[in-house]
Amino acid sequence: MMDSSQEPASSTQPEATSSSSSSATTSSSSGTRSASASASFQRVNHRPPSNPTSFTAHSHIYNIAESITDIRLFDGANSPQNIAVYGFGLGALFGASIILATVVQTSIPQFWLFLAALGVFHSMEYIAIALFNPTKLKLDSFLLNHSPEYTMATASGVTEFLIELYFFPGLKSWGLLNKIGLVMVIVGQLARTLAMFSAKSNFSHHVEYYKEEHHVLVTDGIYSLLRHPSYFGFYYWALGSQLMMMNPVCFVGFAAALHRFFSERIQYEEQLLVRFFGQDYKAYQARTQTGIPLIR
């Protein structure tokens, strides 16, 4: 494109150059119009919106879109968005499962009741820590990824149920044993929840190796009846869930694994508690039971 500032050819030049001069003048004029149009186009496209409100709205939309892209989910942080997603997921699991177990006419209500029990269990674990021990609150307090063993046990229970439902559907009919299992699940959940709410800040998902200033020996409430009510609760919750689903293999496997785990855990934990509280704990130990078979 010719620069619009270029001078046209002089009229004193020979006639032979007149045509060239005219062409140059025309080209110069065309170039001037093109440059002017381009400048005008740029001014139009870069002109701010005439309506300030519209400009502000566009800015807000851009900021919201930028904020959404910055949201991080499932990164392990105890962030509001992760808590909301986990809580919503567990609540939806509970609600949908209860509807399928009670309202919808289904032949396997025990399976949906098991999923509902999972939703309650994991929600209450987080709520208890959030209420009474917030300094130790983590996203892991939901216990969704408690351990590879727990994940494997849960997956095994679901797998056994589905396999036996396919090959032995009569085994999965709803009857007396299923109802006994459901009662065990409810009792187990109540016992564990009462234990967490009674112990308050003394409750933790991990073994405490050192006595902290706020630690006290809790002997009232459900602790006046059972020495380790949270373990009692989980023991019967887990076994009840397998009885409710009529999973004979997992029921036996859970009973063996849980007895071994709690036998070792309680023995080790009570050594620490004797060190923390001395004779007071020994006296408490002598007058209470664990409620778990073959573990005093």
Side-chain angles (χ1 to χ4, degrees):
M1 181 187 298
M2 184 178 291
D3 193 307
S4 60
S5 65
Q6 184 174 337
E7 293 289 335
S10 173
S11 59
T12 59
Q13 288 185 349
E15 184 66 21
T17 64
S18 176
S19 174
S20 174
S21 173
S22 175
S23 173
T25 303
T26 303
S27 176
S28 174
S29 177
S30 174
T32 301
R33 287 195 299 272
S34 298
S36 298
S38 175
S40 176
F41 176 80
Q42 291 176 0
R43 286 196 298 273
V44 168
N45 281 274
H46 289 83
R47 185 187 306 158
S50 58
N51 187 346
T53 304
S54 175
F55 180 74
T56 304
H58 281 85
S59 299
H60 284 319
I61 292 173
Y62 176 79
N63 291 335
I64 291 172
E66 192 175 43
S67 299
I68 291 174
T69 58
D70 289 339
I71 293 177
R72 297 180 180 180
L73 293 175
F74 308 112
D75 59 352
N78 193 43
S79 59
Q81 59 266 26
N82 277 330
I83 297 169
V85 170
Y86 280 42
F88 176 82
L90 291 171
L93 175 67
F94 172 78
S97 299
I98 286 296
I99 291 173
L100 289 169
T102 59
V103 179
V104 179
Q105 296 297 319
T106 174
S107 60
I108 51 171
Q110 63 270 44
F111 180 72
W112 305 115
L113 288 171
F114 169 68
L115 294 183
L118 278 177
V120 173
F121 172 78
H122 289 290
S123 296
M124 293 309 301
E125 295 297 309
Y126 188 89
I127 289 171
I129 299 298
L131 287 174
F132 305 118
N133 215 341
T135 59
K136 296 183 179 179
L137 185 66
K138 300 181 295 183
L139 198 64
D140 288 344
S141 298
F142 279 107
L143 295 189
L144 289 170
N145 56 343
H146 177 265
S147 65
E149 293 80 6
Y150 174 77
T151 302
M152 186 181 300
T154 304
S156 298
V158 172
T159 301
E160 181 184 351
F161 180 86
L162 295 176
I163 290 175
E164 291 174 352
L165 177 66
Y166 182 81
F167 289 104
F168 313 104
L171 181 64
K172 302 304 179 183
S173 59
W174 182 258
L176 178 61
L177 288 178
N178 305 93
K179 295 174 183 177
I180 293 174
L182 176 59
V183 171
M184 290 172 63
V185 169
I186 294 172
V187 170
Q189 182 64 63
L190 287 174
R192 185 168 176 85
T193 301
L194 284 173
M196 293 187 292
F197 277 62
S198 296
K200 294 183 171 61
S201 62
N202 294 283
F203 180 84
S204 174
H205 284 141
H206 306 283
V207 175
E208 299 287 349
Y209 298 99
Y210 300 97
K211 184 177 181 294
E212 298 183 14
E213 291 183 3
H214 65 83
H215 282 163
V216 296
L217 180 58
V218 180
T219 60
D220 57 354
I222 192 171
Y223 282 88
S224 65
L225 304 173
L226 297 168
R227 200 161 66 251
H228 295 278
S230 65
Y231 295 162
F232 168 91
F234 184 78
Y235 179 85
Y236 286 101
W237 183 95
L239 288 184
S241 69
Q242 300 311 301
L243 182 61
M244 180 176 66
M245 292 199 295
M246 291 301 293
N247 286 348
V249 176
C250 281
F251 182 86
V252 174
F254 276 34
L258 287 171
H259 184 273
R260 179 179 179 181
F261 173 78
F262 284 130
S263 179
E264 295 175 355
R265 178 75 170 252
I266 289 173
Q267 182 180 9
Y268 178 70
E269 198 168 306
E270 292 196 331
Q271 292 175 357
L272 295 174
L273 291 169
V274 168
R275 192 179 75 192
F276 292 170
F277 302 107
Q279 192 59 40
D280 289 341
Y281 189 79
K282 289 182 178 180
Y284 171 69
Q285 188 179 36
R287 65 176 184 267
T288 54
Q289 301 284 335
T290 64
I292 300 175
L294 304 179
I295 302 177
R296 191 197 177 292

